[in-house]
Amino acid sequence: MNKYWNIDNFDLKIQDKTILADFSVDFHESTCLLGESGSGKSLLLKELVKNKNYVGNVAFYFGETRICGNWKQEVSYSQLDKNVQFFLEKFLETTKSFPYKYAIVLKILSFPDFFFCEDLHGLLSRKERMLLFRFLKEQHILIFYVTNDIEDTIYFDYLIVLKNNNIAMEGKTLLVLKEEKLMKLLGFSLPFYVNMSRQLSYYGLLEDVCLSKEELEDKLWPSK
């Protein structure tokens, strides 16, 4: 049976005050919800726990922590696939933010179909977030992620931008980020490497929008 998760025309209200109006999403690819602090992103995520219109397994992360002793024993490390072992070694190699990282690991090692995740900016380093997002994609775990950090949006296929209690823009992430003027009107600057590649395009040095340092370097100085 095909897995799906969707919600239609949802209104998020607190004490009769509308925080988010007429929110709809048909969740079939990795999706990022971008909005300013206080726009209702985390509240929305918590309300979505109550949604029953889906088929598949769903895991949610709301900033929980988990302490452990020997994590390799607790997660049955030796029985895991080599690619999963490699991810765990890299993701858990430092003790910084370990209780947060370990709590996330316990959620995703159930290999859910969908993973709904609160903003990890400030909890995990950019390298750790990138590692996590890539692992989820490799494992075909669809992630719905809320953040106010536009740099994190580049790791997702679909982007929803909130402004004034409504969806201001949505679509394939690269197409949304190419709308530089509109994004600035909404109060968001472009991710660093997206902005740099667009600036280089004005001088005819680059045609494509790049999402990372490696991608930009490869376009400017392609290996033979």
Side-chain angles (χ1 to χ4, degrees):
M1 183 178 294
N2 292 331
K3 307 295 189 294
Y4 72 85
W5 194 103
N6 61 39
I7 191 166
D8 294 313
N9 308 119
F10 176 75
D11 293 334
L12 177 61
K13 296 183 179 181
I14 298 179
Q15 297 178 346
D16 295 326
K17 179 182 178 181
T18 299
I19 305 299
L20 186 61
D22 198 27
F23 181 81
S24 299
V25 61
D26 183 8
F27 185 39
H28 58 272
E29 55 191 332
S30 64
T31 301
C32 183
L33 181 67
L34 176 69
E36 299 169 332
S37 296
S39 60
K41 302 182 305 299
S42 295
L43 289 173
L44 171 65
L45 199 63
K46 291 175 182 177
E47 284 297 313
L48 295 184
V49 175
K50 303 172 185 177
N51 179 57
K52 302 299 181 183
N53 193 23
Y54 64 85
V55 171
N57 299 315
V58 183
F60 291 85
Y61 180 72
F62 297 114
E64 302 95 325
T65 60
R66 180 72 180 266
I67 306 298
C68 74
N70 187 331
W71 66 264
K72 289 189 176 182
Q73 288 184 358
E74 292 193 30
V75 302
S76 302
Y77 177 84
S78 61
Q79 300 176 28
L80 295 170
D81 178 90
K82 293 295 183 183
N83 291 330
V84 178
Q85 290 181 356
F86 177 79
F87 162 74
L88 291 175
E89 292 284 356
K90 300 297 291 183
F91 191 60
L92 299 173
E93 66 181 354
T94 65
T95 57
K96 184 177 180 180
S97 300
F98 186 90
Y100 294 100
K101 291 187 286 187
Y102 189 59
I104 293 170
V105 162
L106 294 180
K107 299 273 187 177
I108 63 177
L109 283 189
S110 65
F111 298 100
D113 299 298
F114 308 104
F115 183 56
F116 286 61
C117 187
E118 197 169 32
D119 196 349
L120 298 174
H121 182 74
L123 298 181
L124 306 184
S125 69
R126 187 169 302 281
K127 179 181 178 181
E128 290 167 338
R129 299 198 303 276
M130 178 183 68
L131 189 64
L132 173 64
F133 298 150
R134 286 180 175 174
F135 175 76
L136 293 170
K137 189 169 187 178
E138 290 169 359
Q139 297 298 318
H140 306 291
I141 298 172
L142 291 180
I143 179 172
F144 184 84
Y145 182 72
V146 302
T147 186
N148 61 6
D149 183 0
I150 196 166
E151 294 292 339
D152 279 354
T153 64
I154 63 176
Y155 302 109
F156 300 90
D157 300 317
Y158 199 82
L159 178 60
I160 301 170
V161 183
L162 293 183
K163 189 70 175 182
N164 297 328
N165 304 331
N166 287 287
I167 296 176
M169 293 179 67
E170 66 174 309
K172 293 289 186 180
T173 299
L174 265 182
L175 294 179
V176 173
L177 294 178
K178 284 181 178 180
E179 297 293 335
E180 182 178 6
K181 292 182 179 179
L182 186 51
M183 289 295 287
K184 287 183 176 179
L185 284 174
L186 295 173
F188 297 102
S189 57
L190 296 182
F192 179 78
Y193 288 106
V194 173
N195 183 55
M196 181 175 287
S197 57
R198 286 186 65 81
Q199 295 300 320
L200 290 171
S201 70
Y202 297 148
Y203 297 97
L205 299 175
L206 197 66
E207 293 183 0
D208 300 322
V209 173
C210 300
L211 300 178
S212 67
K213 176 183 178 182
E214 294 76 16
E215 191 177 349
L216 182 62
E217 289 177 345
D218 186 59
K219 293 291 184 181
L220 291 174
W221 304 287
S223 56
K224 295 182 180 180

